[in-house]
Amino acid sequence: MADMETVTYRSRARFWLLFLLFVAAGVSLVAVPMYVIRPFRAQGARELEVALAFVRWAPVWTVVDGVLAAVFAVMLWRGSSVTGWRTAGRRLIVLAGILLVTSAAVMARVNIFERVFRPVTEPQFLTASEAPVDDDDMVLAVRVGEQARAYPVRTLAYHHLLNDTLAGEPLIVTY
């Protein structure tokens, strides 16, 4: 009889381990690219390649991961038939894990980078004397005919693109 309890305990421990691994994998599919491709941080070629592979494959793998996590979640849920605080705590962990995996599957379908790095489509301009530019700030300057504009690199580094028109000519300013 002790062997049967040991097998059940070991099976449950494996289910927990696999469930938690699937939850961590699902969250990693979204978290790694968000960490690597964030503003104001240099990326290496290899880590950027890995992050972009995660972005490309995350919509598929988060679904596969979510299904596998759900299978183990059901096993864990059914395996905790005894009532009490320990069971409630375990079920709460299972629910939190499923919520994380589901959130990762949804986030894998949202291009967060387009939301973060939105182009400025209607820029607002100030005169040079009114602009809050420090002496050591870098700017990109553009001159078309007699008209000129300066775009703070600090702003461009965040948005990456700025759509503008200068002297009737359309511009896309980028940094």
Side-chain angles (χ1 to χ4, degrees):
M1 189 71 168
D3 289 336
M4 192 63 160
E5 289 176 17
T6 305
V7 168
T8 305
Y9 174 78
R10 286 183 182 162
S11 296
R12 228 178 297 138
R14 280 190 213 120
F15 289 162
W16 273 109
L17 177 64
L18 288 169
F19 173 71
L20 294 173
L21 281 173
F22 285 122
V23 170
V27 170
S28 296
L29 285 165
V30 174
V32 166
M34 289 177 72
Y35 174 77
V36 171
I37 311 170
R38 64 184 194 273
F40 311 112
R41 179 184 178 278
Q43 298 98 15
R46 182 70 181 135
E47 72 176 329
L48 188 57
E49 183 180 333
V50 169
L52 292 174
F54 273 44
V55 168
R56 182 173 39 255
W57 290 102
V60 173
W61 284 109
T62 52
V63 171
V64 171
D65 182 78
V67 169
L68 292 171
V71 167
F72 286 102
V74 168
M75 291 177 181
L76 291 169
W77 192 275
R78 287 184 180 167
S80 57
S81 58
V82 181
T83 59
W85 287 107
R86 289 181 72 184
T87 299
R90 289 176 183 159
R91 286 186 171 179
L92 188 61
I93 292 170
V94 169
L95 286 174
I98 290 298
L99 181 64
L100 282 171
V101 169
T102 304
S103 298
V106 170
M107 289 298 295
R109 283 147 185 78
V110 174
N111 189 342
I112 192 73
F113 308 109
E114 282 184 7
R115 296 186 184 279
V116 171
F117 302 119
R118 284 187 301 246
V120 178
T121 55
E122 297 179 20
Q124 306 280 322
F125 294 101
L126 303 171
T127 64
S129 61
E130 296 173 328
V133 178
D134 296 331
D135 291 339
D136 59 345
D137 282 349
M138 293 186 299
V139 296
L140 290 176
V142 177
R143 177 181 217 111
V144 177
E146 294 297 316
Q147 294 184 4
R149 290 228 172 95
Y151 305 94
V153 170
R154 181 177 358 141
T155 301
L156 293 172
Y158 180 76
H159 292 285
H160 289 262
L161 293 174
L162 185 137
N163 298 321
D164 194 11
T165 303
L166 184 61
E169 295 291 325
L171 297 175
I172 296 178
V173 183
T174 186
Y175 170 77

